[in-house]
Amino acid sequence: MAEFVNPFSGVIPPRKLSQNELVRAIRLNIAAEHEAVHLYMSHADATDNPLAKKVLINIANEERQHAGEFARLLELLTGDEDEWLKKGAAEVDEMAEGLK
Ligand SMILES: [Fe+2]
């Protein structure tokens, strides 16, 4: 999350990212979006203030949308991300089916 104590967090490297570095950066961005969802939803759960709760949930949902945008970008950059995600989903579906 916030890295204000790291003086190098906003430093741009002297060269552009390679393709692999860009893919890793997008994975980090996806993690950051999920971390933001976690933070905002936990704050929403922790308050009884209806306006704050509404705003926090709304922003959390926007972060979920951002995660989807990054996921789509990752698929376009890698060409096989969705295939791996589908394999994982199929494994869980299989396990869920086994519990019925
Ligand atoms: Fe975001």
Side-chain angles (χ1 to χ4, degrees):
M1 188 46 64
E3 291 190 31
F4 297 133
V5 295
N6 178 359
F8 300 104
S9 68
V11 175
I12 299 169
R15 62 171 175 78
K16 299 297 182 187
L17 298 173
S18 69
Q19 178 73 9
N20 287 344
E21 290 167 338
L22 177 59
V23 166
R24 290 197 298 271
I26 299 304
R27 292 189 192 287
L28 184 60
N29 291 343
I30 290 171
E33 297 296 346
H34 286 296
E35 187 174 21
V37 171
H38 171 84
L39 179 68
Y40 302 150
M41 290 306 291
S42 65
H43 290 173
D45 287 345
T47 183
D48 287 330
N49 182 295
L51 177 59
K53 188 179 283 281
K54 186 172 184 171
V55 169
L56 285 161
I57 291 171
N58 179 267
I59 294 173
N61 286 334
E62 290 174 2
E63 304 304 351
R64 294 166 77 186
Q65 184 174 333
H66 295 166
E69 290 177 73
F70 282 130
R72 179 61 182 147
L73 177 57
L74 197 55
E75 167 59 19
L76 295 174
L77 291 173
T78 64
D80 68 354
E81 193 72 11
D82 287 354
E83 184 182 322
W84 287 104
L85 292 175
K86 285 178 188 162
K87 285 180 183 178
E91 284 184 16
V92 172
D93 288 346
E94 202 175 297
M95 287 183 242
E97 193 63 37
L99 294 175
K100 289 183 181 175

